[in-house]
Amino acid sequence: MKFLQYYKANSDNIHVGIESEFGIIDLSEASETLGIPVPNQMKAIIQGSHEDHIQQILDYYTHHAHEVSFVDESTISYAPVVNNPEKIICVGLNYHDHVSESSISDTPDEPVLFSKFNNALASHQQVIPLNSRGVQFDYEGELAVIIGKKAKNVPKDSALDAVFGYAVANDVSVRDLQFKSGQWLLGKSNDFSAPIGPYLTTKDQVDVNRLNIKTFRNGELVQSANTQQMIFNVAEIVSYISEYMTLQAGDIILTGTPSGVVLGYPKNAQNWLKTGDEITVEIEHLGRLTNTFEVEK
């Protein structure tokens, strides 16, 4: 099942929907129409206990597609698939080829973690402002993991039980700010530097260890890999993080980027992002996340 959050025209209210072949099923409208109680809040859906009711709505709308109304996806504005998570945790250097191209360190023995904050969240099709205090603007196509329940000290073999689903993300980075000091924060948590979406796909729909991931810059393929090439897979990452902090429903984990980022090019060939550039990150079965960029004045 694919969920999304969105705004209708001339409205500031976030709606939760289900993506279907006929259009978007607006959960709030469907709940009222069918008398089936479901929340219009993604966090509440992630926390569980509404699966049967949501499935009833999906089944009814699918089987009665000519009798019910759907929201035309071309008429909406997207919101991030999760808003206001307690934590956004990022994994650095998690593909061997990216470790080699970045020349930041050797292959890590444990996951390299850093953080972003809620100010970094952005949505599909949003224009991303690039902080004019930096120059070296870069893309990082990544798989995002959305936690589904409280998890502390979970073993690797059951770590995926704590996952609700997956989404496409872009860890937008400002490299000169990232390496300005020993901490990466300035280059990693600028406003709107973590677009995520357009959909949140439940974990039962995919084999998370075998997903093709591609990034396109202005239509040209610049990154291509498969999640099976991760140094630490999703279960290992979730288990590791849970040893140090309690994961909560709605938390987001960005699992690292493969090779092909601008940082990995020779210095005389580094073509940093600029105003008007378009980046699309595509992950098999999860969708395509597209953003354009504009350097702040």
Side-chain angles (χ1 to χ4, degrees):
M1 193 177 299
K2 280 185 166 62
F3 293 97
L4 69 159
Q5 295 201 114
Y6 62 96
Y7 301 96
K8 294 184 178 180
N10 303 314
S11 173
D12 294 328
N13 297 321
I14 292 180
H15 291 253
V16 179
I18 303 173
E19 192 266 347
S20 80
E21 60 181 304
F22 305 104
I24 298 169
I25 303 169
D26 186 287
L27 278 182
S28 179
E29 291 182 2
S31 175
E32 183 175 350
T33 299
L34 301 180
I36 299 175
V38 294
N40 187 40
Q41 294 182 334
M42 188 65 80
K43 182 77 71 78
I45 291 171
I46 290 171
Q47 290 171 329
S49 77
H50 306 285
E51 295 93 338
D52 291 344
H53 286 173
I54 293 172
Q55 188 63 53
Q56 287 178 38
I57 289 173
L58 177 59
D59 291 344
Y60 185 90
Y61 270 65
T62 300
H63 295 141
H64 298 82
H66 299 296
E67 304 169 21
V68 295
S69 61
F70 295 85
V71 177
D72 184 343
E73 198 159 347
S74 67
T75 67
I76 68 168
S77 297
Y78 295 88
V81 292
V82 178
N83 53 306
N84 200 32
E86 182 183 89
K87 293 182 285 297
I88 304 173
I89 304 166
C90 307
V91 183
L93 305 172
N94 197 29
Y95 287 79
H96 289 286
D97 288 347
H98 178 56
V99 173
S100 299
E101 72 172 357
S102 66
S103 301
I104 295 173
S105 73
D106 297 328
T107 299
D109 296 323
E110 296 181 350
V112 176
L113 304 182
F114 59 95
S115 61
K116 287 180 179 272
F117 305 108
N118 283 322
N119 69 297
L121 288 175
S123 59
H124 175 54
Q125 296 182 348
Q126 183 173 342
V127 177
I128 306 299
L130 297 172
N131 192 321
S132 60
R133 291 185 176 274
V135 175
Q136 299 176 347
F137 307 114
D138 209 348
Y139 52 81
E140 294 191 22
E142 305 199 10
L143 169 73
V145 177
I146 290 78
I147 298 299
K149 62 182 181 181
K150 183 176 180 179
K152 178 66 175 175
N153 291 323
V154 294
K156 295 175 188 176
D157 59 4
S158 60
L160 294 186
D161 293 343
V163 172
F164 178 81
Y166 307 102
V168 186
N170 185 352
D171 173 15
V172 180
S173 303
V174 189
R175 301 302 187 183
D176 48 330
L177 299 184
Q178 178 182 350
F179 302 121
K180 189 174 183 178
S181 70
Q183 302 293 324
W184 290 5
L185 185 64
L186 283 182
K188 287 292 191 175
S189 201
N190 283 260
D191 293 341
F192 308 113
S193 61
I196 181 171
Y199 311 114
L200 169 48
T201 303
T202 52
K203 64 182 178 183
D204 59 298
Q205 300 295 301
V206 299
D207 177 357
V208 71
N209 294 316
R210 294 185 180 276
L211 295 176
N212 290 319
I213 176 170
K214 297 179 180 180
T215 302
F216 300 85
R217 179 178 184 176
N218 300 323
E220 178 184 354
L221 180 67
V222 290
Q223 291 185 287
S224 181
N226 189 285
T227 55
Q228 65 184 323
Q229 297 170 269
M230 286 181 174
I231 298 171
F232 306 102
N233 64 32
V234 172
E236 291 170 324
I237 291 168
V238 172
S239 176
Y240 179 82
I241 294 173
S242 77
E243 294 176 2
Y244 297 93
M245 61 194 84
T246 303
L247 291 166
Q248 302 287 353
D251 282 352
I252 299 171
I253 302 172
L254 303 187
T255 56
T257 197
S259 62
V261 298
V262 179
L263 178 67
Y265 284 75
K267 289 190 180 298
N268 61 359
Q270 289 177 333
N271 181 19
W272 305 106
L273 290 175
K274 57 186 180 297
T275 295
D277 277 345
E278 179 186 87
I279 296 293
T280 294
V281 184
E282 174 184 287
I283 300 183
E284 185 179 13
H285 305 305
L286 302 186
R288 291 168 60 92
L289 170 71
T290 298
N291 297 96
T292 53
F293 297 82
E294 182 174 343
V295 179
E296 292 179 325
K297 296 180 180 179

